[in-house]
Amino acid sequence: MSKTGLYWILQIGGWTTLVLSDFLFYSLEYGWESNTFFLSLANILLCIILTHFYRLIIRRWNISTMPLPVLGFRMLLSVVVLGVAMALFTMPLDLQVLSEHVTDTPYLFWGYIVGWCKSMMAWVLSYTVYHYVEQKRLTDLEKIMLKTSMREAEAKVLRSQLNPHFMFNALNSIRALILENPMKAQQSVTQLSNILRNSLLADRRKTVELREELKTVEDYLALEKVRYEDRLQFSIDAEPQVLYWQVPPMMLQTLVENGIRHGVARIAGGGFVEVSAGQQNDNLFIRIRNSGTLTGTASGGIGLRNTAERLSILYGKEADFNLYQERENVVCAELKMPPVSEGIQRYTDDLKPVDPSQ
């Protein structure tokens, strides 16, 4: 049922119940009178018209958005106006139709005002409070939607960033391979195009399958291997049951790149990068280990800040990211993310293990 339909049901039903209950008590005391019944129907109609007019004023002037003190004063004023209007209408009719039961005294008019003000107070308070709460809920919803839109825009910027230095280094490495090893150069171009494609698609997708992200990491490490040759050793290992789980795109590549730039590249003899992924306590757990020493630059770089912000945007407090010195010359980055049901379902539909390198 629509809100408008519910409003009219409550409006007609409420005033009918209130006025006819007074008519019932009057009939039990003085007996049935047709004039009194028709007078009650007129009262019902007037109550509906006046309160509906008040509703239109609230909706047109947006009174419910006013500060509470101002809103309270407007409500009190509305109750008095509605109560006086009803008293001015009903009292002359009652004196004419029910003259034998109503005594015209100086305080009779004030009694009518007080009586109708009580009824109007109940209606005005109920409707205005409901409208105020509903308006506040809509305002809060708009704020949430605006905040979500801003965070989504921020997330797109964060996940679309690709280090330009890597691009220059990769192109220089491929240029050197063109004459020395054309087949290897062709393979490197394919790997670089895969990374660029995933980077361009990253701002369109919130998450990707872990196996797709691992393939991007493998292509990246293979290109860096061309540059560093024997100075770089790497391995990628993932449990089959988590390959279809969803992760933020290009996030692992950013962490691996950070490990090479601030770790392996600064060691004369080179080093290693290890990427492992598995399930731990119903969460996806990813560990990236690399040679190096944790410094202020390495622990506070743009890529690492982006990683923490992206995890916060997507998962809130359910995700966790830690970077620490595991032992001498070994830095470890750990990520914990909640599972995505569709990824688990796809894994159960296809139990065949998938090699991340495929």
Side-chain angles (χ1 to χ4, degrees):
M1 180 182 296
S2 65
K3 292 183 179 179
T4 302
L6 181 61
Y7 161 77
W8 282 113
I9 290 177
L10 295 176
Q11 177 79 326
I12 297 174
W15 285 119
T16 301
T17 302
L18 176 65
V19 176
L20 289 186
S21 62
D22 291 339
F23 169 74
L24 178 61
F25 290 129
Y26 177 87
S27 299
L28 291 176
E29 184 174 355
Y30 299 106
W32 166 270
E33 294 182 5
S34 59
N35 291 338
T36 307
F37 177 73
F38 288 114
L39 184 60
S40 298
L41 294 181
N43 289 344
I44 293 173
L45 181 61
L46 183 60
C47 287
I48 293 175
I49 293 175
L50 287 178
T51 52
H52 182 66
F53 181 72
Y54 172 78
R55 174 177 180 263
L56 294 178
I57 293 178
I58 288 182
R59 295 167 65 89
R60 183 175 182 82
W61 293 348
N62 211 14
I63 294 178
S64 58
T65 59
M66 297 179 178
L68 283 178
V70 178
L71 179 60
F73 174 77
R74 295 292 180 89
M75 288 174 56
L76 183 60
L77 181 62
S78 300
V79 168
V80 174
V81 172
L82 292 173
V84 171
M86 286 301 301
L88 290 174
F89 174 80
T90 59
M91 180 179 169
L93 292 178
D94 287 352
L95 290 175
Q96 182 178 357
V97 177
L98 309 174
S99 57
E100 67 275 14
H101 304 302
V102 178
T103 303
D104 188 5
T105 64
Y107 301 103
L108 181 62
F109 180 68
W110 295 107
Y112 269 79
I113 292 179
V114 172
W116 280 114
C117 281
K118 290 180 180 179
S119 300
M120 291 300 173
M121 174 62 78
W123 191 96
V124 170
L125 186 62
S126 300
Y127 184 79
T128 307
V129 169
Y130 165 78
H131 204 272
Y132 179 82
V133 173
E134 182 71 8
Q135 185 67 33
K136 188 176 186 303
R137 185 186 68 84
L138 293 176
T139 302
D140 292 341
L141 181 61
E142 290 177 356
K143 291 181 180 179
I144 292 174
M145 294 178 63
L146 178 60
K147 184 177 181 180
T148 301
S149 178
M150 293 176 61
R151 291 173 70 88
E152 176 60 24
E154 179 184 1
K156 286 184 178 182
V157 174
L158 294 176
R159 63 177 178 254
S160 63
Q161 291 181 352
L162 187 63
N163 190 349
H165 296 289
F166 161 70
M167 294 295 302
F168 296 143
N169 293 332
L171 289 174
N172 288 331
S173 298
I174 294 173
R175 183 183 63 179
L177 283 175
I178 291 177
L179 296 178
E180 299 177 5
N181 192 339
M183 292 296 295
K184 183 67 174 177
Q186 182 179 2
Q187 181 182 4
S188 297
V189 170
T190 301
Q191 293 167 338
L192 180 59
S193 66
N194 290 337
I195 296 175
L196 289 174
R197 183 183 67 252
N198 291 332
S199 177
L200 293 174
L201 293 176
D203 63 344
R204 304 179 186 177
R205 299 180 292 181
K206 293 181 180 179
T207 59
V208 297
E209 292 178 352
L210 176 61
R211 62 172 184 168
E212 182 178 344
E213 181 71 2
L214 291 177
K215 183 63 173 65
T216 301
V217 170
E218 184 182 32
D219 289 338
Y220 171 79
L221 289 172
L223 287 173
E224 292 289 55
K225 177 74 173 176
V226 173
R227 177 187 176 193
Y228 290 101
E229 297 181 339
D230 293 338
R231 293 179 57 211
L232 173 62
Q233 305 297 326
F234 69 88
S235 64
I236 300 176
D237 180 41
E239 297 177 1
Q241 69 267 25
V242 300
L243 289 176
Y244 287 113
W245 286 24
Q246 301 290 308
V247 297
M250 301 300 292
M251 186 176 68
L252 297 186
Q253 185 272 340
T254 300
L255 294 176
V256 170
E257 180 181 355
N258 187 80
I260 292 180
R261 289 181 60 200
H262 298 284
V264 177
R266 298 185 178 186
I267 301 176
F272 70 93
V273 175
E274 295 178 354
V275 180
S276 61
Q279 183 175 348
Q280 187 178 94
N281 298 328
D282 297 327
N283 290 308
L284 174 62
F285 185 78
I286 300 176
R287 178 182 286 114
I288 301 173
R289 302 173 67 249
N290 62 269
S291 302
T293 301
L294 191 61
T295 63
T297 303
S299 60
I302 295 177
L304 299 180
R305 291 198 301 269
N306 286 357
T307 299
E309 291 176 8
R310 292 176 65 188
L311 288 174
S312 176
I313 291 173
L314 288 174
Y315 305 108
K317 296 182 179 180
E318 296 182 9
D320 191 23
F321 172 59
N322 291 312
L323 180 68
Y324 61 93
Q325 190 77 42
E326 181 180 358
R327 55 186 174 85
E328 186 178 2
N329 294 327
V330 176
V331 177
C332 182
E334 295 180 342
L335 299 99
K336 183 197 73 173
M337 289 172 281
V340 178
S341 58
E342 58 199 48
I344 298 175
Q345 182 62 44
R346 288 197 57 182
Y347 170 71
T348 57
D349 293 340
D350 183 6
L351 294 178
K352 181 180 179 180
V354 179
D355 187 349
S357 63
Q358 295 180 352

